[in-house]
Amino acid sequence: MMRSTTYDTASNAIFACLQNDPPDWDFLDALLSEFMILPTLSEQASLLCRELCAHLKAANSRLLASVTPQHAHRLLNVFTSVANIQQKVDGNTSSTLRHYVNAIETGIRLSPPLSSGTALTFRDIILASWFASFAFSTLPPSPEPNNILDAIQHRTRANHLPHFDDTSLALVHAVHHASDGFIDAMLDPTTGTLPNVVLFPDQAQMLSAVIFASPHTTSDVWAALYSGQSTYEIKTATSSALLTLARRIQEGALIADLGLDIPHCSNDALVLLLHYLALSLFPSASAFNDTGVVLCSMNSNAAPNPLRVASGRDVARLYYEKGLQIDPTHPHLLSNFGSLLKDAGHSTSAVGVFNHALQLHPELDIALVNMANTLKDMGRPADAVPYYIKAVTINPGLVDAYCGLSMSMNAVCNWTARAICEEHLSELHHQNIGILGERSVDDWLLTVALTTSRPQCDHSLRRWVHRFCLFTDTSDGRQPLLNEGSFLMRLIDWYRSRMQHRRYIETYGETLYGEDLPHSPPEAAPTARPFGFVLSSASLQKVPTVLPFHTFTLPLPSRTIRRIAHRNALRVSYNVMTQISPDRVPLLPTPPLKRRINVGYVSSDFSDHPLSHLMKSVFQLHDQNRFCVFLYATSPSDGSAFRQYFEQGDLNFLDVSSWSNVDIVNRIEEDHIHILVDLGGYTRGARNEIFAARPSPVQISLMGYAGTLAATWCDYLVCDSITCPVDLFARVQAYQKRSLNHCCQHSDFGVPVGEEGDPESSSPLWIYTECPIYMPHTYFVTDHKQSCRHGENLSVEERAHTPAEKLWNDEIKCRADLRRALFPDLPLNAIIFANFNQLYKVDPIIFATWLHILARVPHSILWLLRFPAAGETHLIQTAKEWAGDEIASRIRFTDVAAKDHHIYRCRVPDLFLDTSECSAHTVAADVLWAGTPLIACAWPSHRHKMSSRVAASLASATGFGEYMVVSSRDEYEERAVALGNSIRYTVQPNGDVEVCGDLLDLRRCLFLNRDTMPLFDTARWTKNLEKAYRMAWRRWVDGSMFRMSDDGCIWVKDDVDVPIRMN
């Protein structure tokens, strides 16, 4: 660090060099560069920078130093360097940001032909750019700036926007002299903020020319804007300053600190505008790349250009292509272009782009990671591993690469990189500090009072005061582990859901069902805007590098899993709140007409996918007199028979895959959906933004994702008592704690902070933020009873009338024939253990257990799938190292089979051995339908992981769970060994072989009872789900869903006895 004497010397030298005419710019650049390379900087460096600026510029923005246009870029560079030094010392403070603004204003003021006349401000430039961009988005394309300016004048009159009578002025000057009335005219009515305008590259390139000149500008002036070395250098430096300022805002700097005084200005919109302006001043390959990145980060329906409808990602591709025309070898353009192709589903093309990028730049770490991610998502994890390894070798700080490497190696059962990256989880506590403080506690309490339909008791009111003070009162220091962004997004959802309910009660009362349609639908009442301005200051929530779905296979505690899910929920909420106003109250559905509840199912898997295999019959089995079913498909058709079944069936099926989130939300509201069901959760292709927009009063997570969404926009999780123990729900724990305080039981439970219900809470005692819907038997639905009868070719009725002995003897023969075909070398007394899961579910503990079982059951084999094929080598090698060659030789791999044949051959194993971290789900149903017993895990160490307990739930729903479900690893091994060794073979005098044993008896019970057991009774399951829907709707209407009057649980009772045929 520099000593104080050095700073004094530097200060004297600065003062001396500024006395020169012109100043010694080379000396200033060298001095500031020396500061920037120092590892640490003290307050003295900041003081020195302030002194330098004071010598250069007066408080009234008048320049004190003698600066000619030829040296203007040197002054601009000084201001930018000072800003960078200030940022290094103080971070993104208002003082730091003002230095960037100084640089930009200097570049504009000293740039011919704008160096005389009105002193333009940064605010003028921004508003003029916004206005021009807004006009661009509604005008026909034109390559001539003069034509654009003429059209702007005409358009403003036609659209009742303020126009500028003095057309001799440049647009930026006209904006400077205009009132702020035209700002209101540009506000997006859906968000209440200035719009996120998507411009095409040709439009963005003309932006500076349009705002800095008038229709009567001479050609000489146009030439001055685009030629001359000094002008070129000024524009280059100004462009760089604009991009740096945009980057600071993306890092979390507050717009308020810029001093713009522009209401309703969002971070995203301003960042995008700064990129457009920078690109128009200096259209470099890097500028096109950076603008494309910003457009890609916007959601798919962020204010597209209405003349050529396209999403931010669609237009980003044009920017990347334009940038590559300037520099075909630009490393980041190539890498980002490949990522865009990959995200658009063009993985093969993306791999080609990444290969090209890596041929040009073999050490480009981000391209290596992107290539690896693409290969991993293409189902080629083994091919991805070398790219990940090279990336982390080049850049050991790439957290994303480590996590991708871990997942890819785990997928092929190479467990040497099984670490978890949690760096982001604590970092995110500090995001958006100070946002809620932009309103007073009294203002926030007024919002609460206007939102709730019941008055708050004293205790509840004190809790609200405490919550808001945590974020608005910083006099005694803010608690370091509070995520203000989380509280804000949860508060917005709380407000919108309660206001919707309040309006329903005001319009219809506590009306559960209606007999007639109302004469006219209720209009949305005007509302206050408590959140629009606050949210505009928020930044996009970062998400951990570990995705929620990855937590299924990792040994993580409940708090970590909950927070990973919640960070993704926050990102989803933020995305959709930038598309619709956070103050917008969802439209009301009318009461269910003639007791018919509208239920909407949203999924990207209405295709040849396990979810459709399992739920195919459910939608048709709904009671059509009590439920009207809507299916919203968020993925395009795959042409499969499953998709055709949904499209051509008697269902309200709608393909919304090409629709924007906002359009889908509007359609769901128009359909008056009372209950909206999420069949995707955090799986690939899910559109959770739809649910975050709250288009339906009751929203439920079902089947698609076996875990918590940790999102306030998900009200219920359909589960059962095995998969989700009741004490792990936040609402249950909160009710138990508050039940002694009777004054709270009828108050709204609000938005918790640091307690049950706050996903950011440090408590390890709960995981689920939803309320549970407890299904009897199992939450998991199957369709095997309807869809998988090809093995016997018997209907349910025919099978019921067939003698059990005949069914069983036919099954023994079929199974023996298939076993010989698959494993012709196996002796008759060999026991076949099996697991048909994807290999990413296999973990070291369970694999070691399987090896122990093989060692203890003579003549046994373990049948696994090449799923993926690269996993075979790793598992065989591990088995040799852990158990020896003989045991390893008894592990057999086969290829993955087509669905029908897979189910058919599931009868071959003697015993299915489940995985522990993430159990078999659909595969467990396939195996049990085939009559094969399994060992399922319900270990106490994994009770917080729904995904680990699904097979246990399915096994219990057969009626024979006590023989198959185990509660520890030791019990798992002992049960498998006992069942495997129970088989006895006796040769009869006539040469026949008689087989007996507990394992065979269990198989017989499963096989003969499959048509009557609850697990495969789809109609019964659907009827029970309908009970839950009716109860959930009632709880929403009467408001008990929002109050602490009970624990929030919905328990569904089954009215049908389960007949079990033991013979």
Side-chain angles (χ1 to χ4, degrees):
M1 182 181 295
M2 278 191 174
R3 299 186 300 273
S4 59
T5 54
T6 306
Y7 283 114
D8 291 339
T9 303
S11 178
N12 293 332
I14 287 173
F15 182 78
C17 89
L18 291 175
Q19 304 307 307
N20 299 328
D21 187 8
D24 188 345
W25 300 112
D26 291 336
F27 171 79
L28 288 176
D29 285 345
L31 180 66
L32 295 174
S33 297
E34 183 181 349
F35 282 158
M36 279 303 298
I37 63 175
L38 291 174
T40 58
L41 290 171
S42 70
E43 180 60 30
Q44 287 178 302
S46 180
L47 179 61
L48 186 66
C49 289
R50 288 195 292 270
E51 289 178 356
L52 173 58
C53 290
H55 288 309
L56 293 171
K57 190 174 182 181
N60 62 0
S61 296
R62 183 175 60 88
L63 291 178
L64 299 177
S66 175
V67 183
T68 63
Q70 289 73 23
H71 295 123
H73 68 283
R74 305 298 299 268
L75 177 60
L76 194 156
N77 287 334
V78 167
F79 281 131
T80 302
S81 296
V82 167
N84 291 333
I85 292 170
Q86 191 82 30
Q87 196 272 341
K88 190 173 180 181
V89 175
D90 296 333
N92 292 322
T93 63
S94 58
S95 175
T96 300
L97 299 181
R98 284 303 304 171
H99 288 308
Y100 290 116
V101 171
N102 282 340
I104 295 165
E105 289 179 344
T106 300
I108 298 300
R109 290 174 185 173
L110 295 179
S111 177
L114 300 172
S115 53
S116 61
T118 305
L120 297 174
T121 66
F122 181 63
R123 183 178 187 272
D124 297 330
I125 300 163
I126 293 301
L127 287 177
S129 300
W130 229 311
F131 183 78
S133 298
F134 184 71
F136 266 134
S137 68
T138 60
L139 294 173
S142 172
E144 295 296 331
N146 280 335
N147 296 343
I148 295 293
L149 288 166
D150 283 331
I152 286 176
Q153 290 290 335
H154 175 75
R155 199 75 176 189
T156 54
R157 283 189 285 269
N159 289 353
H160 306 290
L161 290 170
H163 67 280
F164 310 110
D165 294 323
D166 188 352
T167 55
S168 65
L169 293 175
L171 181 60
V172 67
H173 284 125
V175 168
H176 177 86
H177 293 299
S179 70
D180 288 347
F182 74 95
I183 296 178
D184 293 333
M186 288 192 295
L187 292 181
D188 185 335
T190 62
T191 64
T193 61
L194 288 168
N196 255 358
V197 182
V198 174
L199 296 183
F200 293 91
D202 55 340
Q203 296 173 320
Q205 281 185 267
M206 285 193 292
L207 185 59
S208 62
V210 169
I211 67 174
F212 291 136
S214 75
H216 303 290
T217 304
T218 66
S219 58
D220 291 339
V221 175
W222 284 117
L225 282 167
Y226 285 97
S227 64
Q229 184 62 31
S230 63
T231 301
Y232 171 84
E233 290 169 339
I234 291 173
K235 290 195 297 182
T236 303
T238 306
S239 176
S240 177
L242 286 162
L243 292 174
T244 304
L245 178 59
R247 189 158 52 249
R248 298 292 177 245
I249 296 172
Q250 290 174 302
E251 292 169 352
L254 298 179
I255 293 179
D257 289 336
L258 288 171
L260 283 178
D261 190 27
I262 302 178
H264 317 299
C265 172
S266 72
N267 283 24
D268 286 347
L270 180 58
V271 165
L272 185 58
L273 199 66
L274 292 173
H275 278 82
Y276 288 150
L277 191 53
L279 185 148
S280 70
L281 289 169
F282 183 60
S284 65
S286 293
F288 279 104
N289 174 69
D290 292 346
T291 308
V293 170
V294 173
L295 286 164
C296 273
S297 69
M298 295 165 51
N299 207 279
S300 60
N301 58 317
N305 186 314
L307 293 174
R308 291 176 282 177
V309 177
S311 70
R313 284 185 171 274
D314 293 332
V315 180
R317 177 170 182 165
L318 300 179
Y319 280 86
Y320 292 148
E321 290 173 342
K322 192 83 170 181
L324 287 170
Q325 291 174 14
I326 299 172
D327 182 0
T329 67
H330 193 285
H332 295 292
L333 271 169
L334 287 168
S335 182
N336 290 329
F337 183 43
S339 293
L340 186 146
L341 291 173
K342 177 234 179 189
D343 292 341
H346 307 301
S347 297
T348 302
S349 298
V351 168
V353 172
F354 292 135
N355 271 327
H356 178 60
L358 290 171
Q359 287 172 2
L360 296 170
H361 312 281
E363 303 295 301
L364 184 61
D365 53 1
I366 190 64
L368 289 164
V369 173
N370 286 336
M371 170 68 101
N373 288 338
T374 305
L375 293 170
K376 175 171 66 70
D377 292 346
M378 291 174 70
R380 296 166 56 186
D383 294 334
V385 169
Y387 290 97
Y388 281 127
I389 291 175
K390 186 173 181 179
V392 298
T393 302
I394 295 169
N395 184 355
L398 275 176
V399 177
D400 287 3
Y402 282 110
C403 293
L405 175 62
S406 177
M407 294 301 114
S408 296
M409 294 179 73
N410 193 60
V412 296
C413 300
N414 183 339
W415 302 306
T416 57
R418 199 173 165 79
I420 176 77
C421 304
E422 297 186 65
E423 286 80 0
H424 290 306
L425 292 179
S426 58
E427 171 192 340
L428 299 188
H429 282 303
H430 305 288
Q431 283 195 324
N432 304 329
I433 296 298
I435 292 176
L436 290 164
E438 295 181 16
R439 297 180 66 203
S440 68
V441 171
D442 288 342
D443 285 342
W444 286 118
L445 292 177
L446 179 60
T447 298
V448 170
L450 293 174
T451 303
T452 54
S453 56
R454 292 172 178 262
Q456 300 290 305
C457 67
D458 289 343
H459 182 80
S460 180
L461 185 59
R462 288 194 297 272
R463 295 179 70 85
W464 277 112
V465 171
H466 173 69
R467 291 164 183 159
F468 287 120
C469 284
L470 286 173
F471 299 104
T472 59
D473 181 9
T474 60
S475 58
D476 57 350
R478 181 173 290 109
Q479 296 186 23
L481 295 181
L482 293 177
N483 188 333
E484 188 175 7
S486 166
F487 179 75
L488 174 61
M489 299 311 303
R490 290 185 290 121
L491 182 64
I492 290 172
D493 189 73
W494 176 87
Y495 165 82
R496 299 177 73 246
S497 62
R498 275 29 170 211
M499 284 297 294
Q500 184 188 41
H501 179 257
R502 178 171 184 163
R503 288 186 184 168
Y504 183 93
I505 298 301
E506 291 171 349
T507 306
Y508 303 112
E510 292 191 6
T511 302
L512 274 176
Y513 305 103
E515 293 303 317
D516 298 296
L517 285 173
H519 296 297
S520 60
E523 295 184 1
T527 63
R529 292 182 177 271
F531 296 105
F533 177 69
V534 178
L535 186 62
S536 70
S537 300
S539 59
L540 183 66
Q541 289 278 321
K542 297 179 183 177
V543 296
T545 54
V546 177
L547 297 176
F549 188 78
H550 293 160
T551 65
F552 285 10
T553 60
L554 295 169
L556 302 174
S558 59
R559 177 173 176 262
T560 300
I561 295 172
R562 184 180 70 225
R563 291 176 67 191
I564 289 173
H566 182 56
R567 299 298 164 78
N568 283 267
L570 293 179
R571 188 181 188 89
V572 167
S573 295
Y574 182 89
N575 281 340
V576 82
M577 288 301 113
T578 60
Q579 301 162 35
I580 64 172
S581 171
D583 302 306
R584 176 187 178 272
V585 177
L587 296 182
L588 299 180
T590 57
L593 183 62
K594 300 186 182 301
R595 305 182 67 83
R596 201 164 179 236
I597 296 175
N598 294 333
V599 179
Y601 292 92
V602 180
S603 177
S604 62
D605 299 322
F606 291 125
S607 56
D608 187 4
H609 184 276
L611 184 84
S612 291
H613 302 165
L614 295 166
M615 294 195 70
K616 178 181 176 183
S617 300
V618 169
F619 312 114
Q620 294 282 14
L621 287 171
H622 273 302
D623 184 344
Q624 303 300 314
N625 295 320
R626 291 289 177 260
F627 295 89
C628 184
V629 176
F630 296 77
L631 306 183
Y632 302 97
T634 59
S635 61
S637 175
D638 63 346
S640 66
F642 288 94
R643 182 59 170 246
Q644 293 173 14
Y645 171 84
F646 295 125
E647 291 175 337
Q648 300 170 7
D650 186 19
L651 296 166
N652 296 305
F653 180 88
L654 193 61
D655 183 340
V656 296
S657 58
S658 62
W659 296 23
S660 72
N661 291 328
V662 173
D663 289 339
I664 298 173
V665 167
N666 290 339
R667 177 56 186 261
I668 291 171
E669 290 183 342
E670 291 169 6
D671 289 338
H672 292 271
I673 300 299
H674 304 102
I675 297 175
L676 192 65
V677 184
D678 185 354
L679 298 178
Y682 294 126
T683 56
R684 185 178 302 171
R687 297 275 291 272
N688 286 312
E689 285 82 2
I690 298 167
F691 291 86
R694 274 278 175 193
S696 174
V698 179
Q699 301 190 162
I700 297 174
S701 176
L702 169 69
M703 282 293 293
Y705 185 80
T708 182
L709 300 185
T712 51
W713 35 262
C714 183
D715 303 311
Y716 292 98
L717 171 64
V718 177
C719 58
D720 56 64
S721 57
I722 292 177
T723 53
C724 301
V726 70
D727 62 295
L728 295 179
F729 286 86
R731 173 74 177 265
V732 173
Q733 290 219 358
Y735 174 71
Q736 292 172 350
K737 286 188 177 181
R738 298 186 193 180
S739 60
L740 298 178
N741 194 336
H742 298 287
C743 68
C744 287
Q745 291 189 11
H746 296 288
S747 295
D748 192 295
F749 52 78
V751 185
V753 180
E755 56 187 327
E756 291 79 8
D758 177 5
E760 297 288 342
S761 164
S762 60
S763 173
L765 302 178
W766 61 276
I767 187 169
Y768 301 105
T769 58
E770 304 87 350
C771 288
I773 290 177
Y774 277 117
M775 295 285 282
H777 313 300
T778 181
Y779 86 95
F780 201 88
V781 66
T782 66
D783 198 57
H784 295 70
K785 188 174 180 179
Q786 291 73 231
S787 303
C788 302
R789 310 203 67 84
H790 45 274
E792 296 174 324
N793 292 318
L794 295 174
S795 68
V796 175
E797 294 75 17
E798 290 170 341
R799 196 174 196 268
H801 290 92
T802 302
E805 198 62 29
K806 174 174 172 44
L807 290 173
W808 181 238
N809 287 336
D810 290 346
E811 171 63 13
I812 290 175
K813 182 178 185 305
C814 176
R815 182 168 175 257
D817 292 343
L818 188 54
R819 171 179 164 133
R820 280 192 295 271
L822 282 169
F823 301 107
D825 61 322
L826 278 187
L828 183 63
N829 64 342
I831 300 297
I832 301 176
F833 297 111
N835 183 282
F836 299 145
N837 290 335
Q838 293 189 56
L839 296 180
Y840 74 83
K841 293 188 177 184
V842 180
D843 66 88
I845 293 176
I846 205 68
F847 188 63
T849 304
W850 292 348
L851 297 179
H852 294 165
I853 293 168
L854 288 177
R856 296 178 61 188
V857 179
H859 312 297
S860 62
I861 69 165
L862 175 62
W863 177 14
L864 302 175
L865 300 182
R866 299 185 183 100
F867 203 5
E872 179 177 1
T873 301
H874 288 290
L875 284 178
I876 295 297
Q877 182 60 36
T878 302
K880 289 179 179 179
E881 293 172 0
W882 291 2
D885 291 348
E886 193 276 330
I887 296 295
S889 69
R890 291 199 264 140
I891 301 177
R892 302 287 188 94
F893 283 86
T894 64
D895 292 332
V896 179
K899 180 67 176 179
D900 289 347
H901 187 59
H902 155 72
I903 294 176
Y904 183 68
R905 72 182 191 179
C906 277
R907 58 178 24 95
V908 171
D910 294 287
L911 184 63
F912 183 90
L913 301 178
D914 195 22
T915 42
S916 54
E917 287 292 345
C918 183
S919 72
H921 296 185
T922 305
V923 168
D926 297 339
V927 166
L928 290 168
W929 174 254
T932 296
L934 57 78
I935 303 295
C937 306
W939 299 357
S941 58
H942 292 65
R943 67 192 305 269
H944 63 286
K945 295 185 68 172
M946 182 180 183
S947 60
S948 76
R949 302 167 71 86
V950 174
S953 170
L954 271 61
S956 296
T958 65
F960 302 97
E962 62 183 294
Y963 304 106
M964 295 185 282
V965 179
V966 296
S967 59
S968 69
R969 194 205 68 79
D970 289 342
E971 188 181 1
Y972 181 109
E973 181 178 330
E974 294 303 323
R975 183 74 58 86
V977 171
L979 288 173
N981 286 329
S982 72
I983 299 296
R984 295 287 181 269
Y985 295 85
T986 305
V987 179
Q988 301 298 319
N990 62 1
D992 291 342
V993 178
E994 182 177 307
V995 186
C996 62
D998 293 342
L999 185 56
L1000 197 65
D1001 293 341
L1002 180 55
R1003 172 182 291 276
R1004 178 186 173 96
C1005 290
L1006 291 171
F1007 175 76
L1008 294 178
N1009 287 281
R1010 68 184 185 187
D1011 276 341
T1012 56
M1013 60 180 56
L1015 175 59
F1016 299 112
D1017 194 337
T1018 318
R1020 175 193 294 183
W1021 185 93
T1022 305
K1023 186 174 294 184
N1024 286 329
L1025 184 67
E1026 291 176 346
K1027 296 177 188 177
Y1029 286 166
R1030 287 192 289 269
M1031 285 188 277
W1033 175 244
R1034 178 181 295 277
R1035 287 177 59 80
W1036 185 84
V1037 172
D1038 67 25
S1040 58
M1041 171 176 158
F1042 308 117
R1043 299 193 298 270
M1044 198 52 69
S1045 54
D1046 58 42
D1047 61 9
C1049 299
I1050 292 178
W1051 295 89
V1052 180
K1053 304 295 183 184
D1054 194 347
D1055 301 326
V1056 183
D1057 291 332
V1058 183
I1060 299 294
R1061 179 163 61 176
M1062 298 299 295
N1063 56 325

